[in-house]
Amino acid sequence: MIDAYWLPVIFAGLMALSILVYAMLDGYDLGVGILMPLHKDEEPTRDIMIASIGPFWDANETWLVLAVGLLLIAFPSAYNQLFYYLYIPTIVMLIGLVLRGVAFDFRAKAAVSYKLIWDYCFRAGSLLTSLAQGYMLGMYVMGFNTDPSSIMFCLLSALGVTAAYCYIGAAWLIIKTEDQLQHRAVRWAILCGRVTFIGVVAVCIVNLWVNPEVYRRWFTFPLVMFVLLLPALCMTAFFANDFLLKKLPLTNDRLNWLPFVITAVIFMGCFCGLAFSFYPEIFPGKLTIWQAASAPESLRFILVGALIVIPVILAYTFFAYKVFHGKATALRYH
């Protein structure tokens, strides 16, 4: 039987895994939605961009549901306190997700004259969702303070997360598209990568500045000699990806997958850095995972279900990406 001490750690790990996978997978399809060109003459381009995410985007959002569900059942007191502060941005995010879902279906059924309107809605929903998630990240880093400087940082975080989603979205389009659209995706990836780099650096500096405990964790000797390898890895990945993107596309579409992989490494590095900054606190400065956890008996019961559901979701995700691999083609509705 698993010791009660380790149960909150296991559920924190499962929740972290869900959030990370969601940020990478739904991040790229949000990014594709934001990058959609809305000129009326570019409908074929928008169709291919939609086709590149069509088989995946519903499944990608499953990871968000899983993360929130784990938070609710494993850490109920943290769930209550977190969403007390995040109620409004959560509502904005849900509005964006609903708008995306409605627009995705209606653009296929609407009269030709209304299709562009639904494309605007799809882009607006993607943008709202990304901005809301970035704002929530900023609130978490700032300890849910609502003074003007904290709000300004949250807005900066919202823009940074949106740029990061566009970055990984453009990298996804490099894999799934060809010819002119692929060339445009490369240019988008270069621009968004540089903006994302500035945003990551800004968030790191502010996080160290406003959280003395975080600063102590990162710069305590001799631990500093090891943990600073993480930001060094992220910085190297940013520069390597920028160098690679300038060379793409290559003959026979070689290495078209590599920018996405490098961008995913950046996402993982940033997420690990954030986790290292705050673990084991699930509510910065107020609650640790042990203080917020449900009763050990409940966690043991829930763990059985989680260990069944999560592998099923992973298997389905792998199967979907295997079946629908290859280049996106023009949409055909039947």
Side-chain angles (χ1 to χ4, degrees):
M1 183 175 292
I2 300 175
D3 187 87
Y5 175 87
W6 290 106
L7 286 168
V9 177
I10 293 171
F11 274 94
L14 293 176
M15 191 173 69
L17 173 66
S18 302
I19 295 172
L20 176 59
V21 175
Y22 170 79
M24 291 190 293
L25 297 187
D26 203 43
Y28 80 70
D29 67 56
L30 287 167
V32 170
I34 296 169
L35 292 170
M36 280 175 55
L38 294 177
H39 193 276
K40 62 181 180 180
D41 295 332
E42 295 205 75
E43 183 179 320
T45 299
R46 293 194 297 274
D47 282 348
I48 292 176
M49 293 176 72
I50 289 291
S52 74
I53 63 174
F56 313 110
W57 75 284
D58 261 340
N60 293 343
E61 292 178 354
T62 304
W63 293 97
L64 177 62
V65 177
L66 178 62
V68 175
L70 288 172
L71 177 63
L72 172 62
I73 60 180
F75 306 104
S77 57
Y79 176 92
N80 293 334
Q81 294 196 41
L82 287 170
F83 283 98
Y84 173 81
Y85 291 98
L86 299 177
Y87 183 80
I88 292 178
T90 299
I91 292 298
V92 173
M93 181 186 73
L94 292 176
I95 291 172
L97 290 173
V98 171
L99 188 58
R100 271 168 52 87
V102 171
F104 188 90
D105 287 331
F106 273 63
R107 75 181 303 275
K109 308 296 183 183
V112 174
S113 57
Y114 291 101
K115 192 173 180 181
L116 182 59
I117 295 175
W118 290 112
D119 286 341
Y120 271 100
C121 292
F122 188 79
R123 186 176 185 180
S126 302
L127 185 60
L128 273 179
T129 303
S130 301
L131 290 171
Q133 291 178 5
Y135 188 89
M136 287 190 279
L137 175 62
M139 288 284 288
Y140 184 86
V141 170
M142 298 301 292
F144 301 97
N145 292 321
T146 56
D147 55 88
S149 60
S150 297
I151 297 299
M152 290 297 294
F153 174 78
C154 293
L155 295 175
L156 173 64
S157 176
L159 294 175
V161 168
T162 301
Y165 284 171
C166 291
Y167 187 26
I168 200 168
W172 176 254
L173 289 174
I174 294 172
I175 299 174
K176 301 294 288 185
T177 62
E178 50 193 353
D179 300 327
Q180 183 181 0
L181 181 52
Q182 189 182 49
H183 283 82
R184 293 177 72 178
V186 170
R187 294 196 298 270
W188 289 335
I190 292 172
L191 175 61
C192 294
R194 293 172 181 177
V195 175
T196 302
F197 175 75
I198 295 171
V200 169
V201 171
V203 169
C204 291
I205 292 173
V206 173
N207 189 17
L208 294 172
W209 180 38
V210 302
N211 294 305
E213 176 62 22
V214 172
Y215 181 89
R216 185 192 64 78
R217 289 190 185 192
W218 280 92
F219 292 98
T220 298
F221 188 84
L223 192 60
V224 64
M225 301 174 64
F226 301 97
V227 297
L228 289 186
L229 292 175
L230 190 58
L233 172 65
C234 288
M235 185 173 295
T236 302
F238 270 115
F239 286 113
N241 217 15
D242 190 77
F243 177 80
L244 174 64
L245 287 166
K246 292 175 183 178
K247 306 293 183 181
L248 295 181
L250 299 174
T251 307
N252 298 325
D253 221 15
R254 290 182 296 113
L255 301 180
N256 68 339
W257 51 271
L258 191 52
F260 186 86
V261 172
I262 295 175
T263 307
V265 169
I266 293 171
F267 270 61
M268 287 187 281
C270 293
F271 186 84
C272 290
L274 188 67
F276 177 77
S277 296
F278 292 101
Y279 179 84
E281 295 177 341
I282 195 169
F283 190 108
K286 293 187 178 180
L287 283 176
T288 66
I289 57 174
W290 295 281
Q291 292 170 330
S294 299
E297 295 79 10
S298 300
L299 292 180
R300 290 191 183 98
F301 179 79
I302 297 165
L303 183 60
V304 175
L307 293 179
I308 295 172
V309 170
I310 292 176
V312 170
I313 297 175
L314 283 169
Y316 167 76
T317 301
F318 176 80
F319 179 74
Y321 280 86
K322 180 178 174 58
V323 169
F324 295 103
H325 73 282
K327 297 292 184 181
T329 56
L331 287 174
R332 292 182 178 87
Y333 297 111
H334 302 280

